[in-house]
């Protein structure tokens, strides 16, 4: 047997090392700086413990804190383990279950012995976690047999862990991580990897945030557990920045601002559907009108399609088999009106509320004979759709059951694909910047495991999307270009557009999907130059995604302080004294005649009260009128966010506000 291994480093150099060598040993051989900085290793692409020995020849890349994604994943996983160890130290008899890392932290589910945990327990648990980190306990990977591991968990009274160990697939290596040494060492079953010891964590870079209930294995028939959440980072600076973002996000919560500005409300009588109030629907209409103008200019034709379609149509499209659990299914029969009988017989044919517009757009395309000269055909619809989202997944207007997409489908020839995708990228860029989002990233979601179509079709579709983004000049690092294996739709790869808001959060809104499958399944065709029938390619695309979610994002991005052209109320005329009431009506009428959205406030309240109230409602312009302004034909202007008051002639004020209120697509060029 060969006792030497060949380890290839990223620069191509090869090191011959004996069996038993670890990545930590190689880091130490390279230099003390790297030995101190290295926290884990990628061995043949797999993230591993830095102290785990090599088993065979391999490629090695050492991981440091500069590899932030890997470093955060490791740290958060370790914080979860330290949390579990701390809880069991403070509350003997508590059983442990699972503790994964999350997008910005970690959680762990516990089965307490005596009572469910509460938020009041968190400070003591945090203090105990810091003690464990200070002890710098080594985290040691061990491989156990199934029988020994189950026996160990049962002996310790860990019934949840024993149950899970018994159900892991045969042949899977069962690994345990031991924290500390000797009889008092703490064990948890885990695939890993982990940092070399708890002392590698920054004790000031985590915070426990809340406690909630969770069912064992997510099933409400099982035992209720206590889930403790935390956020974890590489250093205190990152933690402080995150906590500041959380605080800012709470201030910007679209539900809170929506109530303050009287934009919308939600209630249980219509789970997942939005009640838009007059001001909120004004905001919607401004956005819709802007989008309609942009689409008209880009050569789209607007259509309107039915809400309810026969289940056979959804079977033909493939959605019935792949998407039925997310659809609202409706029987096609007249309900029984007798009180003592069943409302429905259960024998009617099935229909479904549309969860998307694409099959209906294919049906429009199929009306009449289409020629290659008719392509590209761009059909747009602000289509109202329904998806049967679980109640627990609903969130304000960000995730709803009834929504309106800014949807469109482009039917084109294969030789037109790249140009059409490039034009879409340009249109999306223009709209995002108009709406205040200067930064966004582009991701290419590649073929999923379960999919329709041939490998050749997927190769061609993915290559076309890559080429289009490159031709649009947006395939570079400044656009966050990234490919996402396995995340495409079941019928097509797609480009995803992730915009960044004012406090650094990212939102996936825009998408374009290149689909060869649906035109085939629904028998769409056009007559080519050769006189033969050909299948069009179908591009599914959206820029906002849905109006509801995008408006929620806009509310939080602008913290309710919308650009003037979007603001539901652009100006309020408020009087200081009743002597100015008649003049206030004149001013409001003049502003309204100029196309501005204006309200009056003639209440018998002090002006400071009015200023405060309209500032909270995020009105961009407050026009204050007293006796002097009425006599001189002027207006005292207070703009939102400014302490300064500006006195202006009425005509000059109207001209200024009209200019400020122009939508970006209607501002004259030059």
């Amino acid at each position: 047997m060969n006792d030497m291994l060949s380890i290839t480093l990223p620069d191509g150099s090869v090191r011959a090392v004996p069996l038993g060598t670890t990545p930590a040993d190689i880091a130490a051989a390279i230099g003390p700086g790297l030995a101190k900085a290295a926290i884990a290793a990628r061995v043949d692409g797999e993230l591993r413990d830095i102290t785990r020995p090599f088993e065979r020849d391999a490629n090695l890349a050492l991981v440091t804190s500069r590899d932030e994604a890997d470093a955060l994943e490791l740290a958060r996983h370790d914080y979860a383990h330290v949390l579990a160890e701390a809880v069991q130290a403070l509350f003997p008899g508590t059983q442990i279950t699972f503790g994964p890392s999350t997008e910005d932290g970690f959680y762990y589910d516990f089965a307490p012995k005596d009572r469910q945990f509460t938020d009041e327990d968190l400070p003591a648990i945090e203090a105990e976690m810091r003690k464990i980190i200070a002890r710098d306990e080594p985290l040691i990977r061990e491989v156990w047999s199934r029988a020994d591991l189950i026996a160990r968990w049962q002996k310790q009274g860990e019934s949840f862990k024993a149950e899970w160990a018994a159900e892991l697939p045969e042949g899977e290596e069962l690994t345990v991580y031991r924290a500390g040494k000797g009889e008092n060492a703490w064990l948890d079953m885990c695939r890993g990897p982990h940092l070399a010891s708890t002392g590698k964590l920054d004790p000031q870079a985590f915070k426990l945030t809340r406690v909630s209930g969770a069912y064992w294995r997510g099933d409400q028939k099982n035992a209720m557990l206590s889930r403790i959440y935390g956020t974890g980072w590489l250093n205190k600076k990152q933690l402080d920045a995150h906590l500041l973002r959380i605080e800012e996000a709470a201030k910007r919560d679209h539900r809170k601002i929506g109530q303050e500005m009287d934009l919308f409300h939600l209630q249980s009588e219509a789970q997942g559907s939005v009640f838009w109030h007059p001001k909120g629907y004004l905001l919607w209409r401004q956005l819709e009108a802007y989008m309609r103008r942009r689409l008209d200019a880009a050569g789209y034709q607007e259509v309107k399609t039915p809400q309810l379609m026969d289940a056979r149509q959804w079977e033909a499209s493939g959605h019935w088999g792949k998407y039925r659990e997310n659809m609202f299914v409706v029987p096609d029969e007249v309900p029984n009106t007798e009180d003592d009988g069943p409302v429905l017989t259960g024998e009617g044919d099935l229909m479904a509320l549309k969860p998307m517009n694409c099959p209906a757009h294919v049906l429009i395309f199929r009306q009449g004979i289409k020629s290659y000269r008719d392509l590209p055909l761009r059909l747009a619809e602000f289509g109202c759709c329904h998806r049967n989202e679980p109640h627990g997944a609903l969130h304000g207007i960000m995730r709803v059951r009834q929504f309106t997409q800014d949807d469109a489908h482009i039917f084109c020839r294969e030789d037109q694909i790249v140009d059409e995708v490039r034009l879409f990228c340009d249109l999306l860029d223009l709209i995002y910047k108009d709406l205040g989002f200067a930064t966004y990233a582009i991701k290419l979601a590649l073929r999923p495991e379960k999919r329709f179509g041939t490998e050749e079709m997927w190769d061609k579709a993915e290559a076309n999307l890559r080429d289009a983004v490159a031709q649009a000049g947006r395939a570079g690092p400044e656009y966050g270009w990234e490919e996402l294996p396995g995340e495409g739709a079941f019928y097509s790869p797609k480009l995803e557009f992730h915009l960044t808001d004012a406090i650094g959060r990212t939102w996936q809104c825009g998408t374009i999907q290149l689909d060869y499958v649906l035109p085939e399944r629904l028998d769409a065709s056009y007559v080519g130059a050769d006189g033969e029938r050909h299948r069009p390619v179908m591009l599914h695309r959206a820029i906002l995604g849905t109006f509801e979610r995008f408006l929620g994002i806009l509310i939080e991005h602008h913290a309710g302080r919308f650009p003037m052209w979007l603001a539901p109320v652009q100006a309020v005329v408020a009087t200081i004294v009743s002597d100015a009431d008649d003049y206030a009506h004149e001013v409001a009428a003049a502003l309204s005649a100029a196309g501005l959205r204006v309200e009056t406030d003639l209440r018998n309240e002090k002006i400071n009260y009015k200023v405060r109230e309209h500032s909270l409602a995020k009105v961009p312009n407050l026009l204050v009128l007293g006796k002097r302004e009425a006599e001189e034909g002027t207006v005292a202007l207070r703009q939102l966010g400014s302490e300064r008051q500006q006195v202006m002639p009425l005509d000059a004020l109207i001209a200024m506000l009209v200019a400020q209120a122009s939508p970006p697509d209607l501002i004259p060029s030059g």
Side-chain angles (χ1 to χ4, degrees):
M1 180 179 175
N2 186 359
D3 290 337
M4 299 298 289
L5 301 176
S6 294
I7 305 301
T8 304
L9 299 177
D11 64 1
S13 63
V14 179
R15 291 186 174 243
V17 299
L19 273 172
T21 298
T22 68
D25 295 330
I26 291 183
I30 293 172
L34 184 57
K36 184 178 179 182
I39 57 175
R42 282 206 172 270
V43 178
D44 291 333
E46 178 190 358
L47 190 63
R48 287 189 173 193
D49 305 322
I50 199 165
T51 55
R52 181 176 169 182
F54 297 103
E55 300 101 357
R56 58 185 179 275
D57 296 346
N59 293 299
L60 169 66
L62 292 164
V63 175
T64 71
S65 59
R66 291 185 178 181
D67 304 298
E68 192 165 287
D70 285 340
L72 280 170
E73 177 75 18
L74 287 161
R76 287 165 179 166
H77 200 173
D78 282 19
Y79 281 125
H81 275 241
V82 171
L83 165 61
E85 184 179 354
V87 166
Q88 289 200 310
L90 290 174
F91 304 95
T94 297
Q95 292 190 60
I96 54 176
T97 63
F98 295 120
S101 60
T102 64
E103 186 178 348
D104 58 10
F106 55 94
Y107 69 80
Y108 212 109
D109 288 346
F110 301 96
K113 181 182 179 183
D114 301 315
R115 63 170 177 84
Q116 296 294 315
F117 297 133
T118 69
D119 289 351
E120 284 70 38
D121 296 315
L122 299 184
I125 298 172
E126 282 188 357
E128 185 66 22
M129 289 176 68
R130 291 192 173 94
K131 289 179 185 176
I132 294 168
I133 292 170
R135 290 201 297 265
D136 196 16
E137 296 176 339
L139 296 169
I140 301 165
R141 181 180 184 271
E142 299 174 351
V143 179
W144 286 50
S145 73
R146 183 182 305 273
D148 287 347
L149 186 53
I150 293 171
R152 172 65 181 249
W153 291 136
Q154 289 174 340
K155 181 181 177 182
Q156 288 187 321
E158 297 282 5
S159 61
F160 295 95
K161 285 289 188 184
E163 178 185 327
W164 187 247
E167 293 183 10
L168 288 170
E170 287 294 333
E172 181 170 329
E173 190 175 59
L174 303 186
T175 54
V176 167
Y177 278 81
R178 180 185 296 272
K181 299 176 181 177
E183 285 299 314
N184 294 324
W186 183 82
L187 271 67
D188 196 3
M189 183 169 68
C190 177
R191 287 192 178 94
H194 283 280
L195 298 171
S197 69
T198 61
K200 299 292 184 184
L201 295 169
D202 185 336
Q204 303 304 319
F206 79 93
K207 182 175 178 59
L208 301 183
T209 54
R210 63 190 174 95
V211 180
S212 73
Y215 292 106
W216 166 237
R217 300 171 80 169
D219 188 337
Q220 63 183 7
K221 297 176 184 175
N222 291 337
M224 172 63 78
L225 308 173
S226 279
R227 175 172 293 178
I228 298 179
Y229 287 93
T231 184
W233 301 84
L234 300 179
N235 52 59
K236 188 174 186 299
K237 183 179 178 183
Q238 288 183 342
L239 172 65
D240 289 344
H242 173 72
L243 294 177
L244 185 63
R245 281 196 300 273
I246 295 296
E247 182 183 343
E248 186 63 28
K251 293 178 189 172
R252 293 169 179 261
D253 190 307
H254 71 279
R255 294 164 297 183
K256 173 177 172 286
I257 293 174
Q259 185 175 9
E260 290 172 351
M261 296 182 68
D262 192 25
L263 302 178
F264 62 84
H265 84 275
L266 301 114
Q267 63 184 71
S268 59
E269 285 79 1
Q271 283 277 2
S273 299
V274 186
F275 293 83
W276 289 99
H277 297 190
K279 289 177 183 176
Y281 199 56
L282 265 172
L283 176 63
W284 176 301
R285 286 171 52 201
Q286 295 308 308
L287 182 61
E288 184 179 61
Y290 162 80
M291 289 298 296
R292 186 168 277 119
R293 291 192 300 269
R294 284 294 187 204
L295 293 179
D296 287 347
Y300 288 81
Q301 300 176 61
E302 191 172 348
V303 297
K304 190 75 173 169
T305 59
Q307 285 286 298
L308 201 58
M309 291 204 300
D310 194 293
R312 286 182 284 266
Q313 179 66 23
W314 298 109
E315 288 172 3
S317 70
H319 292 93
W320 195 251
K322 297 282 187 180
Y323 206 76
R324 188 170 66 247
E325 71 273 14
N326 296 109
M327 298 170 72
F328 285 102
V329 177
V330 182
D332 187 11
E333 63 174 289
V334 178
N336 177 28
T337 58
E338 301 297 326
D339 291 339
D340 56 350
V343 176
L344 299 169
T345 66
E347 297 174 1
D349 289 339
L350 294 180
M351 305 184 77
L353 287 170
K354 65 177 177 181
M356 53 204 50
N357 302 300
C358 32
H361 288 193
V362 176
L363 296 183
I364 289 179
F365 180 87
R366 285 178 51 189
Q367 292 298 300
I369 298 172
K370 299 295 186 296
S371 160
Y372 70 96
R373 294 189 184 90
D374 298 320
L375 306 183
L377 179 63
R378 308 181 186 103
L379 300 181
E381 180 174 8
F382 298 134
C384 180
C385 299
H386 290 78
R387 293 185 186 171
N388 196 355
E389 300 281 2
H391 286 196
L394 303 175
H395 175 67
I397 65 174
M398 297 288 206
R399 190 164 183 183
V400 292
R401 290 174 139 192
Q402 176 185 298
F403 55 88
T404 299
Q405 294 180 310
D406 71 311
D407 203 7
H409 295 91
I410 302 169
F411 297 87
C412 63
R413 307 187 306 266
E414 281 205 72
D415 62 297
Q416 296 171 321
I417 292 172
V418 172
D419 277 347
E420 285 301 309
V421 176
R422 178 182 56 78
L423 288 170
F424 170 77
C425 289
D426 290 343
L427 178 62
L428 175 140
D429 183 81
L430 179 65
I431 288 171
Y432 280 5
K433 286 174 179 170
D434 278 352
L435 295 173
F437 298 98
T439 305
Y440 61 89
I442 306 176
K443 318 286 184 186
L444 175 57
L446 304 172
R447 67 196 76 182
E449 185 177 339
K450 294 182 179 179
R451 56 185 180 268
F452 290 149
T454 65
E455 293 305 294
E456 180 187 8
M457 181 212 82
W458 281 88
D459 289 342
K460 191 163 50 175
E462 290 170 358
N464 276 322
L465 290 179
R466 283 191 195 95
D467 291 348
V469 175
Q471 287 196 23
R474 296 185 177 89
E478 68 274 23
Y479 283 96
W481 173 256
E482 185 181 0
E483 298 196 2
L484 308 174
E487 295 194 21
F490 67 84
Y491 51 84
S492 74
K494 58 181 176 177
L495 292 174
E496 299 176 352
F497 297 81
H498 298 249
L499 57 82
T500 302
D501 72 9
I503 58 173
R505 297 171 301 183
T506 58
W507 306 88
Q508 196 258 299
C509 295
T511 183
I512 186 164
Q513 303 169 7
L514 200 168
D515 184 5
Y516 288 95
V517 172
L518 201 58
E520 179 74 33
R521 291 182 70 93
L522 297 184
D523 195 29
S525 66
Y526 67 91
V527 178
D530 58 1
E532 300 295 324
R533 289 179 69 219
H534 298 269
R535 296 286 181 217
V537 179
M538 190 173 180
L539 301 174
H540 308 244
R541 42 69 78 229
I543 294 175
L544 305 183
T546 74
F547 274 81
E548 287 80 359
R549 183 166 178 266
F550 199 88
L551 283 167
I553 294 167
L554 268 180
I555 289 168
E556 296 194 359
H557 177 62
H558 292 292
R561 298 183 174 197
F562 299 110
M564 186 67 166
W565 68 277
L566 275 175
V569 179
Q570 294 170 321
V572 167
V573 181
T575 54
I576 300 173
V577 293
S578 59
D579 289 354
D581 286 0
D582 289 343
Y583 181 53
H585 287 301
E586 290 178 27
V587 170
L591 267 64
S592 184
L596 295 163
R597 298 184 288 278
V598 60
E599 292 181 351
T600 58
D601 186 349
L602 311 182
R603 292 174 299 166
N604 185 23
E605 299 283 358
K606 292 186 177 179
I607 192 60
N608 287 341
Y609 176 87
K610 295 181 180 182
V611 169
R612 196 162 48 247
E613 189 172 86
H614 296 300
S615 295
L616 185 65
K618 311 296 189 297
V619 176
N621 299 287
L622 186 62
L623 282 48
V624 179
L625 306 181
K627 193 172 181 181
R628 175 182 294 181
E629 285 78 17
E631 290 172 350
E632 296 178 355
T634 58
V635 174
L637 171 66
R638 295 190 184 201
Q639 293 197 301
L640 186 63
S642 173
E643 297 295 322
R644 187 166 149 265
Q645 181 169 291
Q646 185 180 3
V647 178
M648 303 176 64
L650 178 57
D651 289 348
L653 172 83
I654 291 174
M656 184 184 81
L657 294 185
V658 166
Q660 291 176 356
S662 292
D665 62 308
L666 299 182
I667 296 173
S669 58

